[in-house]
């Protein structure tokens, strides 16, 4: 029994770890050797940006990760802009103006996207309220026995004790 | 608990279920690769680009102003562009103004040869070798077709091939509406 349980646990934790191995993107899959920088700050900014910008062609890859032609074009454009001293926000605004919010992995807070923030909180709050409500109702009900029922209870208890002592 | 409350509690999961089904059904029939253009409602971006046939001749964004027209992004490496080409020829024959933007093609000669063999539906042929004009338009593949009104404002973008169904659908309807608006303006 204990063996089966520990085996189960081991399997579960293994699956857990594998799921991580699968979902972690292979960052830096593309060769970025060609992008050379004199200033480390610009290089860091460039890497930040290409990790945060999403390839419009390939649904769920950053432009750092994708080998699509378009991703390369966007990397090149990002490189040129960073080299020219553009700030992070300037590059993001430039891309969003052309490719829409889709191109940035951090969606802006608008009425439609705000559900991403308050949605889970609402679900949690509703669940908490339901639990609170039910727990309170349980407490209220206390059972009172009349004389006859009390006598029967005593009798059953005595019988039970006898059974145990046998 | 009153009777009304009990009904509400019983119906709530059902309603939630129906909502979920509607949401998932929509997801099932929506195409996640089809993105709406960020340029809709905005003037066409500025650019200068050479002609496909004559490298020394250049055009600017002004070429897209003056009449409702389609800007078709295409390339010879794009099989879907081949599929829609016949239909573009047909539209051009019907008098629809189409301007072609050749997008990152393998070579100029290949693009010219394609038009010589398959016919040229474009009033003007723009040659965007490095894709910089397409980037200004937020193009993420080929074919894409932009609907631009007489003032040079982007009105709509269609991703994928243009065919009879698309032309009867939103793209064609919007084009015809623009055309009606333009003729009414001139008749005034």
């Amino acid at each position: 029994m204990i063996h089966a349980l520990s085996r189960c646990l081991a399997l579960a934790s293994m699956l857990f770890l594998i799921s991580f191995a699968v979902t972690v993107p292979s960052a830096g899959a593309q060769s970025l050797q060609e992008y050379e920088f004199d200033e480390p700050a610009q290089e860091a900014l460039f890497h930040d940006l290409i990790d945060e910008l999403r390839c419009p062609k390939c649904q769920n890859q950053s432009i750092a990760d994708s080998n699509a032609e378009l991703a390369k074009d966007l990397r090149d454009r990002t490189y040129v802009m960073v080299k020219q001293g553009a700030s992070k926000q300037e590059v993001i605004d430039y891309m969003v103006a052309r490719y829409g919010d889709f191109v940035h992995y951090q969606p802006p807070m608008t009425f439609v996207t705000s559900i991403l923030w308050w949605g889970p909180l609402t679900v949690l709050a509703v669940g908490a309220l339901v639990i609170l409500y039910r727990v309170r109702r349980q407490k209220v009900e206390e059972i009172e026995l009349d004389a006859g029922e009390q006598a029967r209870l005593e009798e059953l208890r005595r019988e039970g004790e006898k059974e145990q002592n046998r | 608990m009153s009777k009304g409350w009990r009904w509400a509690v019983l119906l709530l999961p059902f309603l939630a279920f129906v909502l979920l089904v509607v949401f998932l059904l929509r997801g099932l029939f929506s195409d996640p690769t089809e993105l709406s253009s960020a340029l809709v409602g905005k003037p066409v971006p500025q650019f200068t680009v050479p002609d496909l046939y004559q490298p020394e001749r250049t055009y600017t964004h002004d070429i897209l102003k003056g009449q409702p027209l389609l800007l078709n992004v295409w390339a010879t490496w794009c099989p879907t562009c081949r599929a829609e080409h016949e239909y573009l020829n047909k539209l051009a024959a019907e008098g629809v103004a189409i301007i072609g933007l050749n997008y990152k093609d393998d070579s100029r000669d290949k693009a010219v040869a394609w038009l010589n063999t398959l016919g040229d539906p474009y009033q003007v042929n723009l040659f965007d070798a490095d894709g910089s004009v397409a980037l200004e338009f937020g193009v993420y593949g080929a074919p894409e077709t932009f609907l631009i009104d007489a003032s040079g404002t982007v009105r709509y973008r269609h991703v994928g091939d243009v065919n009879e169904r698309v032309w009867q659908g939103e793209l064609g309807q919007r084009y015809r509406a623009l055309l009606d608006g333009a003729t009414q303006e001139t008749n005034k």
Side-chain angles (χ1 to χ4, degrees), chain A residues 56-57 59 69-70 73-74 77 94-102 133 137, chain B residues 1 32-33 35 38-39 42 103-104 130 132 134-141:
Chain A
K57 184 74 192 165
Q59 297 293 304
E69 273 281 307
L70 180 61
D73 287 355
L74 295 185
R77 185 60 61 107
Y94 176 91
M95 295 297 178
V96 168
R98 285 155 184 78
Y99 288 94
D101 291 334
F102 186 92
Y133 176 74
R137 263 171 58 95
Chain B
M1 206 191 279
T33 61
L35 307 177
L39 265 78
K42 297 197 180 128
Y103 172 49
K104 295 188 76 169
D130 62 353
S132 58
L135 199 149
E136 292 296 325
F137 273 91
V139 168
Y140 64 98

Side-chain angles (χ1 to χ4, degrees), chain A residues 92-110:
Chain A
I92 289 171
D93 288 346
Y94 176 91
M95 295 297 178
V96 168
R98 285 155 184 78
Y99 288 94
D101 291 334
F102 186 92
V103 81
H104 194 204
Y105 263 122
Q106 290 178 3
M109 183 85 155
T110 64

Side-chain angles (χ1 to χ4, degrees), chain B residues 22-44:
Chain B
V22 169
F23 179 74
L24 292 179
L25 263 181
R26 274 179 55 127
L28 205 56
F29 293 105
S30 79
D31 181 1
T33 61
E34 208 164 305
L35 307 177
S36 62
S37 171
L39 265 78
V40 169
K42 297 197 180 128
V44 290

Side-chain angles (χ1 to χ4, degrees), chain B residues 51-53 72 74-76 81-82 85-86 88-89 99-102 105 107-127:
Chain B
D51 185 271
L52 176 62
Y53 296 108
N72 180 248
W74 68 282
T76 58
C81 301
R82 176 70 184 79
H85 202 82
E86 285 306 313
L88 293 180
N89 282 338
I99 287 181
L101 179 69
N102 182 269
D105 220 324
S107 74
R108 195 187 275 269
D109 294 341
K110 229 172 154 178
V112 171
W114 161 295
L115 292 182
N116 284 339
T117 5
L118 297 173
D120 181 357
Y122 307 115
Q123 293 192 347
V124 178
N125 273 287
L126 311 175
F127 184 64

Side-chain angles (χ1 to χ4, degrees), chain B:
Chain B
M1 206 191 279
S2 76
K3 216 170 179 188
W5 262 105
R6 178 156 285 188
W7 271 108
V9 168
L10 277 176
L11 274 176
L12 213 66
F14 179 69
L15 284 178
F17 172 73
V18 169
L19 266 173
L20 193 71
V21 165
V22 169
F23 179 74
L24 292 179
L25 263 181
R26 274 179 55 127
L28 205 56
F29 293 105
S30 79
D31 181 1
T33 61
E34 208 164 305
L35 307 177
S36 62
S37 171
L39 265 78
V40 169
K42 297 197 180 128
V44 290
Q46 299 190 354
F47 60 84
T48 309
V49 71
D51 185 271
L52 176 62
Y53 296 108
Q54 304 153 290
E56 65 287 348
R57 188 168 177 191
T58 59
Y59 297 103
T60 68
H61 47 275
D62 289 327
I63 197 79
L64 301 175
K65 289 174 191 167
Q67 59 175 338
L69 56 82
L70 302 179
L71 177 70
N72 180 248
V73 182
W74 68 282
T76 58
W77 46 257
C78 148
T80 316
C81 301
R82 176 70 184 79
E84 73 171 357
H85 202 82
E86 285 306 313
Y87 199 78
L88 293 180
N89 282 338
K90 181 172 170 283
L91 286 183
E94 287 169 9
V96 177
I98 312 174
I99 287 181
L101 179 69
N102 182 269
Y103 172 49
K104 295 188 76 169
D105 220 324
D106 305 333
S107 74
R108 195 187 275 269
D109 294 341
K110 229 172 154 178
V112 171
W114 161 295
L115 292 182
N116 284 339
T117 5
L118 297 173
D120 181 357
Y122 307 115
Q123 293 192 347
V124 178
N125 273 287
L126 311 175
F127 184 64
D128 186 19
D130 62 353
S132 58
V133 176
L135 199 149
E136 292 296 325
F137 273 91
V139 168
Y140 64 98
E144 280 185 27
T145 304
F146 291 83
L147 174 62
I148 298 164
D149 71 11
S151 71
T153 303
V154 178
R155 289 302 190 89
Y156 184 71
R157 166 170 72 175
H158 172 73
V159 176
D161 62 328
V162 176
N163 51 39
E164 183 65 34
R165 186 179 52 81
V166 168
W167 196 244
Q168 291 311 319
E170 196 163 0
L171 179 67
Q173 281 168 15
R174 281 172 177 270
Y175 172 79
R176 288 185 287 274
L178 281 184
L179 213 58
D180 288 349
T183 43
Q184 271 165 20
E185 281 294 313
T186 46
N187 290 346
K188 251 179 210 171

